[in-house]
Every structure is written in structure tokens, then in C-alpha cells.
Amino acid sequence: MRIVRYAVGGVRHYGELESGDVRIARFEGDPFTGLSPTEYVDQVGDVVILPPVDRPRIFGFAYNYASHVDETDHEIPEVPVCFMKPSTAVVGPGDAIVYPEDGELIHFEGELVVIIGKEARHVKPSQAHEYILGYTCGNDVSDRIVQRKESTYGTLLIGKGHDTFAPLGPAIATELDPAGLSLTTRVNGTVMQSATTADLLLPVPDLVGYLSRYLTLLPGDVIMTGTPSGVGPIRPGDEVEVEIEGIGVLRNPVVAESR
């Protein structure tokens, strides 16, 4: 099942994308408390596809592909490198990534994203699938200049946390094995990243187990699992696409900030 969150006539719903991605079978409720089918079917062209989760807590993992570690001239970390992005960084498919007025080097990072389905604490990796609702595409947009300055002092917030720096979508794939999915990121149609989630240093079950060892994960939390090699700059006027097997394509334009 691929679940989308969308708005039609100003009202928000969850629904299931049907074959061909042109129709949405509307549900009542939400995937965290329960979904019930209705008789309504909406046409994709008549709705606005929203981020799959409304203002979630966002947990990120850095340096979780050896290829990306190599391209950054770092060593594989001894412990998982975690950070958080503000919930206000989230935008959905088709929404703009806003290039900051004072930005100098803004990078895309295509990633597989985990969506937690129920409260989780002290979860064993072998049980992690019981707490995962599904998976979506994500783009961990990063201001490298600010990020590097922050990292020197052991912090990481503004470089990752601008508004619009966490595009998510387009759908939540609920019946997906995250162990070997193809991931492709394109900028203006040119492939920049091409990888498989089989290359994650810490696979999805271990990420859920690690976080839940120290804190309680909540329904709707999202985990950005890390990016492979090939990250690079974006500029206003660009279009970034993150495509993951079984989920779909997350597409976002880049626009200059205006005040």
C-alpha cells in the first residue's frame, strides 16, 4: 500500500494511491490511529499532495554510507552520528526548497526515510518492523558553510534546519523491505546519486533499535537514514528529484529567498 496525505477543497485526507497513480481511494482517519475506507475516490490532478506526516520530529543519521564517508574525507564513525531537523523544515512534493538569501553552498542529500507507526522504546532490531509504519523519500538539504562552522563546536542545527530543508514524500510505502532498494537523485534530470540501501552501514532495524535505546519514538516520527555519495550543490532554478524503488519520486524546485 502507498498512502498519501492530501488536500482537496481545503480539507485534508489520507488515501491510497491506486494503480497508475492517477486515483486516490480516500480513507477516514489517519494511519497512526486507524484508517477506514470510504466510497470517495479523488483524482490526483484535482488534489494537493502534502507531506506524508504533519510537522514530525525528524531524526537524521550522518555518515551512514561508506561511499559518502569517503567523499567527505572522514573516517567511519565509532558511534552513530545523529542530529535533528526542526519540524518546520518539512515541505511536500512540488513545494519549493528556499535557497537562503545569504546561502553560499547548499547541497541536496537523497535519502530513504523511515516513518514510525507506534510508540517505541527499547526495541530490538529484530522487532523494529513492528514499529515502522512505512517508508518515504527525503532530501536532507544542508547549508555546508554553516554546517561546518557549527560542527567545529559540536553542534548541528541551522545548517540542517532552515525552513524547507526537509522535503518528504510523495507517499508512505507500507509493505516494503528496506534492505536493498535502489535510490536515485537527479538535479535537472541529471543523475547525481545512484545507490542501494543495501549499502547502509547501519540498516534500518539497527537505526530504530539505536534511537529507541535512548529515547521514546512516537507515532509520526521520521528517521532520515543517511545519504550515499554524489551529494552536490543546488541553485535557484534547479529541480531536485529523489526516487526510491517502491515509493515514487519526490520532486522539488529550488527558488531564491525573497523577503
Side-chain angles (χ1 to χ4, degrees), residues 34 48 82 100 108 131 141 164 216 256:
V48 177
C82 307
F108 63 85
Y131 297 86
V141 183
T164 76
T216 300

Side-chain angles (χ1 to χ4, degrees), residues 87-186:
S87 60
T88 48
V90 173
V91 291
D95 292 337
I97 298 167
V98 177
Y99 196 101
E101 186 178 47
D102 57 355
E104 298 179 51
L105 185 61
I106 310 300
H107 276 190
F108 63 85
E109 294 187 14
E111 309 199 5
L112 174 70
V113 175
V114 180
I115 300 181
I116 298 297
K118 61 182 181 179
E119 188 171 308
R121 183 78 160 102
H122 298 302
V123 174
K124 296 178 181 179
S126 62
Q127 299 172 327
H129 65 280
E130 299 176 14
Y131 297 86
I132 294 171
L133 171 65
Y135 304 89
T136 195
C137 305
N139 187 351
D140 176 21
V141 183
S142 305
D143 184 324
R144 295 299 189 210
I145 302 300
V146 175
Q147 177 185 343
R148 290 164 185 165
K149 290 178 180 178
E150 288 182 308
S151 296
T152 300
Y153 295 96
T155 63
L156 188 58
L157 177 61
I158 302 303
K160 295 279 191 179
H162 283 261
D163 285 0
T164 76
F165 271 25
L168 298 176
I172 305 170
T174 62
E175 299 171 8
L176 203 60
D177 182 351
L181 303 173
S182 63
L183 184 158
T184 305
T185 306
R186 294 178 289 269

Side-chain angles (χ1 to χ4, degrees), residues 4 6 18-19 30 51 62 65 70 86 95 119 130 143 154 156 183 195 210 234 237 246-247 249 259:
V4 291
Y6 65 102
E18 296 187 335
S19 178
D30 65 72
Y65 284 85
D70 289 342
D95 292 337
E119 188 171 308
E130 299 176 14
D143 184 324
L156 188 58
L183 184 158
Y210 182 78
I234 51 177
I247 300 172
V249 180
R259 297 184 182 179

